[in-house]
Amino acid sequence: MQTVLNTGAPLAAAPPLSNSQVRRAVLASVIGNGLEWFDFLIYGYFAKTIAHVFFPVGNNFLSITLTLATFAIGFVVRPLGGIAIGAWADRHGRHKTLSLLILLMAASTLLMGLTPGYASIGIAAPLLVLFARVLQDLSVGGEFATAAAMLTEYAPPGRKMFFGSFKMTSQAVALLLSSSCGYLLTTNLSGEALASWGWRVPFLLGALVGPVGFYIRHKVSESPEFVQLRQQLAHAPRQSLRTFLRERGDAALCAMGVMTATNYLWHSYMPLFVERQLHLPLKNALFGTAISGLISIVGYPLAGKLADRFGAYRLFFPITIVWICAAWPLFSWVLAAPTPERVFAAQMIATVVLSLMSGAHPGMLTQLFPTATRSMGVALSYNIAVTLFGGLAPLTVSTLIGVSGSRMVPAWYLMFAGVVSLLLVGLSASGRRLCREPNLWPKDGAHS
């Protein structure tokens, strides 16, 4: 890809990268995302226990709602963190930003695991939990975008979707590890031990990734495309949010559409749904989630390869339509006879579809923005979409079930999100253009 700037001069060719440089860049890019998802999923799995430890209000529904609200509040700050950190990464580089972010994420995960319960320190306990979630989501606000930019900017031509899929693969690894950890704890500990200390173990283990991740990221060189851009400009790239929205607003809407049909609700809320609505042991859902992680480790890179070959935006529409059509029968079938076997089968079917749908997401988002505004563009779009249809989803669905009494609310929600996703991508000029020209990447200095 030749990137052209406002000066009209083409960028000089980047020196060839060694295999070891590429491998280090991939590992550095995905390790933080794995920690993010590990923390995210563990909080969802143990939401019921966390509610009793930090929000003992005497009303089970209200206690769970407060726990999920704390979870959602963290997501509300994500767009703010994403804009600020994304803009900083576009000015100062991917490498420095990623090194800082993993330390912030590890600190918030450690705080979550060490905070005493309400019985010990009173109102300070839920306030500390809230602070931990806000700190986590401020850092995560820039993590996905900056790491996705690093991955695709290190990728060779024709393999950018495949390299971007490694970011999703790290989520699958986190899914496998978090659910396996949760399964072992819920299987081998009594309810009293789990509530007393067992639920803290995954958070404490997750925090250990921080120092290791910082060391790995600190050793990685800056993205080749960013280095080229800096050399050509002779100063840090800069663009105001107003200018960005004017020039890249259509691309941002398209990117939000890509992320709206997200897998956040399925993976984070499903264990709570199985436990509270189907009245099955939590370990049943966690076992299926662990197997889902194994399948996704293969499914995400496969989706990336298919996207490189056929065009990510050309595959987006049929796969999303399949997901919309599958949501209702999956939930209806499980609710008709809620058994562990049916829950497991539904999880496997959903995992295959979600893997094919989500594997190319990092590459699809980075393809919409030029190097100079890539981190901010992806961060803004990604975080608004996952806040509305990811972080707020468990609280929204749980509240709607409580108000309506219908256990089919998750199916309706997934179908609604899928339709919104199709509309945003299909109605945007950027989405239509990339369906026609799947290998088109924006040039620095050109309008979207």
Coordinates of all heavy atoms in Angstrom, one line a residue, residues 103-151:
L103 N 0.1 -1.6 31.9 CA 0.3 -1.3 33.3 C -1.0 -0.8 34.0 O -1.3 -1.2 35.1 CB 1.4 -0.3 33.5 CG 2.8 -0.8 33.1 CD1 3.8 0.3 33.4 CD2 3.2 -2.1 33.9
L104 N -1.7 0.1 33.3 CA -3.0 0.6 33.9 C -4.0 -0.5 34.0 O -4.7 -0.6 35.0 CB -3.5 1.7 33.0 CG -2.8 3.0 33.0 CD1 -3.4 4.0 32.0 CD2 -2.7 3.6 34.3
M105 N -4.1 -1.4 33.0 CA -5.0 -2.5 33.1 C -4.7 -3.5 34.2 O -5.6 -4.0 34.9 CB -5.1 -3.2 31.7 CG -5.9 -2.5 30.6 SD -6.1 -3.5 29.2 CE -4.5 -3.5 28.5
A106 N -3.4 -3.8 34.3 CA -3.0 -4.7 35.4 C -3.3 -4.1 36.8 O -3.7 -4.9 37.7 CB -1.5 -5.0 35.2
A107 N -3.1 -2.8 36.9 CA -3.3 -2.2 38.2 C -4.8 -2.3 38.6 O -5.2 -2.5 39.7 CB -2.9 -0.7 38.2
S108 N -5.7 -2.1 37.6 CA -7.1 -2.1 37.9 C -7.6 -3.6 38.2 O -8.4 -3.8 39.1 CB -7.9 -1.6 36.7 OG -7.8 -2.4 35.6
T109 N -7.0 -4.5 37.5 CA -7.3 -5.9 37.8 C -6.9 -6.3 39.2 O -7.6 -7.0 39.9 CB -6.6 -6.8 36.7 OG1 -7.1 -6.5 35.4 CG2 -7.0 -8.3 37.0
L110 N -5.7 -5.9 39.6 CA -5.2 -6.1 40.9 C -6.0 -5.5 42.0 O -6.3 -6.1 43.0 CB -3.7 -5.6 41.0 CG -3.0 -5.9 42.4 CD1 -2.9 -7.4 42.6 CD2 -1.6 -5.2 42.4
L111 N -6.5 -4.3 41.8 CA -7.3 -3.6 42.7 C -8.6 -4.3 42.9 O -9.2 -4.5 44.0 CB -7.6 -2.2 42.2 CG -8.5 -1.3 43.1 CD1 -8.0 -1.1 44.5 CD2 -8.8 0.1 42.5
M112 N -9.2 -4.9 41.8 CA -10.4 -5.6 41.9 C -10.2 -6.9 42.8 O -11.1 -7.2 43.6 CB -10.8 -6.0 40.5 CG -12.2 -6.7 40.4 SD -13.5 -5.5 40.7 CE -14.8 -6.6 41.3
G113 N -9.1 -7.5 42.6 CA -8.9 -8.7 43.4 C -8.5 -8.5 44.9 O -8.7 -9.4 45.7
L114 N -8.0 -7.3 45.2 CA -7.6 -7.0 46.6 C -8.6 -6.2 47.4 O -8.5 -6.2 48.6 CB -6.3 -6.3 46.6 CG -5.1 -7.1 46.0 CD1 -3.8 -6.2 46.0 CD2 -4.8 -8.3 46.8
T115 N -9.6 -5.6 46.8 CA -10.5 -4.8 47.6 C -11.3 -5.6 48.6 O -12.0 -6.6 48.2 CB -11.5 -4.1 46.6 OG1 -10.7 -3.2 45.7 CG2 -12.5 -3.2 47.4
P116 N -11.3 -5.2 49.8 CA -12.1 -5.9 50.8 C -13.6 -5.7 50.6 O -14.0 -4.8 49.8 CB -11.7 -5.2 52.2 CG -10.4 -4.5 51.9 CD -10.5 -4.1 50.4
G117 N -14.4 -6.6 51.1 CA -15.9 -6.6 50.9 C -16.6 -5.5 51.7 O -16.0 -4.8 52.5
Y118 N -17.9 -5.4 51.4 CA -18.7 -4.4 52.1 C -18.7 -4.6 53.6 O -18.7 -3.6 54.4 CB -20.1 -4.4 51.5 CG -21.0 -3.4 52.0 CD1 -21.1 -2.1 51.3 CD2 -21.8 -3.5 53.2 CE1 -22.0 -1.1 51.8 CE2 -22.6 -2.5 53.6 CZ -22.7 -1.4 52.9 OH -23.6 -0.4 53.4
A119 N -18.7 -5.9 54.0 CA -18.7 -6.2 55.4 C -17.5 -5.7 56.2 O -17.6 -5.4 57.4 CB -18.9 -7.7 55.6
S120 N -16.4 -5.5 55.4 CA -15.1 -5.0 56.1 C -15.0 -3.5 56.1 O -14.6 -2.9 57.1 CB -13.9 -5.7 55.4 OG -14.0 -7.1 55.5
I121 N -15.2 -2.9 55.0 CA -14.9 -1.4 54.9 C -16.2 -0.6 54.5 O -16.0 0.6 54.2 CB -13.8 -1.2 53.9 CG1 -14.1 -1.7 52.5 CG2 -12.5 -1.8 54.4 CD1 -13.0 -1.3 51.5
G122 N -17.3 -1.2 54.4 CA -18.5 -0.5 54.1 C -18.6 0.1 52.7 O -18.2 -0.5 51.8
I123 N -19.1 1.3 52.6 CA -19.4 2.0 51.3 C -18.1 2.1 50.5 O -18.2 2.3 49.2 CB -20.1 3.3 51.5 CG1 -20.6 3.9 50.2 CG2 -19.1 4.3 52.1 CD1 -21.7 3.0 49.6
A124 N -16.9 2.1 51.1 CA -15.7 2.3 50.4 C -15.5 1.1 49.5 O -14.8 1.2 48.4 CB -14.5 2.4 51.4
A125 N -16.0 -0.1 49.8 CA -15.8 -1.3 49.0 C -16.4 -1.1 47.6 O -15.7 -1.2 46.6 CB -16.4 -2.5 49.7
P126 N -17.7 -0.8 47.4 CA -18.3 -0.6 46.1 C -17.7 0.6 45.4 O -17.5 0.6 44.1 CB -19.8 -0.4 46.3 CG -19.9 0.0 47.7 CD -18.8 -0.7 48.5
L127 N -17.2 1.6 46.1 CA -16.6 2.8 45.5 C -15.2 2.4 44.9 O -14.9 2.8 43.8 CB -16.4 3.9 46.5 CG -17.7 4.6 46.9 CD1 -17.4 5.7 48.0 CD2 -18.4 5.2 45.7
L128 N -14.5 1.5 45.5 CA -13.2 1.1 45.0 C -13.4 0.2 43.8 O -12.6 0.2 42.8 CB -12.4 0.3 46.1 CG -11.8 1.2 47.2 CD1 -11.2 0.3 48.3 CD2 -10.7 2.1 46.5
V129 N -14.5 -0.7 43.8 CA -14.8 -1.5 42.7 C -15.1 -0.6 41.5 O -14.7 -0.9 40.4 CB -16.0 -2.4 43.0 CG1 -16.5 -3.2 41.8 CG2 -15.5 -3.5 44.1
L130 N -15.9 0.4 41.7 CA -16.3 1.4 40.7 C -15.0 2.0 40.1 O -14.9 2.1 38.9 CB -17.2 2.4 41.2 CG -17.7 3.5 40.2 CD1 -18.4 2.9 39.0 CD2 -18.6 4.5 40.9
F131 N -14.1 2.4 41.0 CA -12.9 3.1 40.5 C -12.0 2.1 39.7 O -11.5 2.5 38.6 CB -12.0 3.5 41.7 CG -10.7 4.1 41.3 CD1 -10.6 5.3 40.7 CD2 -9.5 3.4 41.6 CE1 -9.4 5.9 40.4 CE2 -8.3 3.9 41.2 CZ -8.2 5.1 40.6
A132 N -12.0 0.8 40.1 CA -11.2 -0.2 39.4 C -11.8 -0.4 38.0 O -11.1 -0.5 37.0 CB -11.2 -1.5 40.1
R133 N -13.2 -0.4 37.9 CA -13.8 -0.6 36.6 C -13.6 0.7 35.7 O -13.3 0.5 34.5 CB -15.3 -0.8 36.7 CG -15.8 -2.0 37.5 CD -15.1 -3.2 37.2 NE -15.1 -3.6 35.8 CZ -14.3 -4.5 35.2 NH1 -13.5 -5.2 36.0 NH2 -14.4 -4.8 34.0
V134 N -13.6 1.8 36.2 CA -13.4 3.1 35.5 C -11.9 3.1 35.0 O -11.7 3.4 33.8 CB -13.7 4.3 36.3 CG1 -13.2 5.6 35.6 CG2 -15.2 4.4 36.5
L135 N -11.0 2.8 35.8 CA -9.6 2.8 35.4 C -9.3 1.7 34.3 O -8.6 2.0 33.4 CB -8.7 2.4 36.7 CG -7.2 2.4 36.4 CD1 -6.7 3.8 36.0 CD2 -6.5 1.9 37.7
Q136 N -10.0 0.6 34.5 CA -9.8 -0.5 33.5 C -10.3 0.0 32.1 O -9.7 -0.2 31.1 CB -10.6 -1.7 34.0 CG -10.7 -2.8 32.9 CD -9.5 -3.7 32.8 OE1 -8.5 -3.5 33.5 NE2 -9.6 -4.7 31.9
D137 N -11.5 0.6 32.1 CA -12.1 0.9 30.9 C -11.5 2.2 30.2 O -11.6 2.3 29.0 CB -13.6 1.1 31.0 CG -14.3 -0.3 31.2 OD1 -14.3 -1.0 30.2 OD2 -14.8 -0.7 32.3
L138 N -11.0 3.1 31.0 CA -10.2 4.2 30.5 C -9.0 3.7 29.7 O -8.8 4.1 28.5 CB -9.8 5.1 31.6 CG -10.8 6.2 32.1 CD1 -10.2 6.9 33.3 CD2 -11.2 7.1 31.0
S139 N -8.3 2.7 30.2 CA -7.1 2.2 29.5 C -7.5 1.3 28.4 O -6.9 1.4 27.3 CB -6.3 1.4 30.5 OG -7.0 0.4 31.1
V140 N -8.6 0.5 28.6 CA -9.0 -0.4 27.5 C -9.6 0.5 26.3 O -9.6 0.0 25.2 CB -10.1 -1.3 28.0 CG1 -10.9 -2.0 26.9 CG2 -9.4 -2.4 28.9
G141 N -10.1 1.7 26.6 CA -10.6 2.6 25.6 C -9.6 2.8 24.4 O -10.0 2.9 23.3
G142 N -8.3 2.8 24.7 CA -7.3 2.9 23.7 C -6.6 1.7 23.3 O -5.9 1.6 22.3
E143 N -6.8 0.6 24.1 CA -6.1 -0.6 23.9 C -6.4 -1.3 22.6 O -5.5 -1.6 21.8 CB -6.3 -1.6 25.1 CG -5.9 -3.0 24.8 CD -4.4 -3.2 24.8 OE1 -3.7 -2.4 25.4 OE2 -3.9 -4.1 24.1
F144 N -7.7 -1.5 22.3 CA -8.1 -2.3 21.1 C -7.6 -1.5 19.9 O -7.0 -2.1 19.0 CB -9.6 -2.4 21.1 CG -10.1 -3.2 19.9 CD1 -10.4 -4.5 20.0 CD2 -10.3 -2.6 18.7 CE1 -10.9 -5.2 18.9 CE2 -10.8 -3.3 17.6 CZ -11.1 -4.6 17.7
A145 N -7.8 -0.2 19.8 CA -7.5 0.5 18.6 C -6.0 0.6 18.4 O -5.5 0.4 17.2 CB -8.1 1.9 18.7
T146 N -5.2 0.8 19.4 CA -3.8 1.0 19.2 C -3.2 -0.4 18.9 O -2.3 -0.4 18.0 CB -3.2 1.5 20.5 OG1 -3.8 2.7 20.9 CG2 -1.7 1.8 20.3
A147 N -3.6 -1.4 19.5 CA -3.0 -2.7 19.2 C -3.5 -3.2 17.8 O -2.7 -3.8 17.1 CB -3.5 -3.7 20.3
A148 N -4.7 -2.9 17.5 CA -5.2 -3.3 16.1 C -4.4 -2.6 15.0 O -4.0 -3.1 14.0 CB -6.7 -3.0 16.0
A149 N -4.1 -1.3 15.3 CA -3.3 -0.5 14.4 C -1.9 -1.1 14.2 O -1.4 -1.2 13.1 CB -3.2 1.0 14.8
M150 N -1.3 -1.5 15.4 CA 0.0 -2.0 15.4 C 0.1 -3.3 14.5 O 0.9 -3.6 13.7 CB 0.5 -2.3 16.8 CG 1.8 -3.0 16.9 SD 3.2 -1.9 16.6 CE 3.7 -1.4 18.3
L151 N -0.9 -4.2 14.8 CA -1.0 -5.5 14.0 C -1.1 -5.3 12.5 O -0.3 -5.9 11.8 CB -2.2 -6.3 14.5 CG -2.0 -7.1 15.8 CD1 -3.3 -7.7 16.3 CD2 -1.0 -8.2 15.6

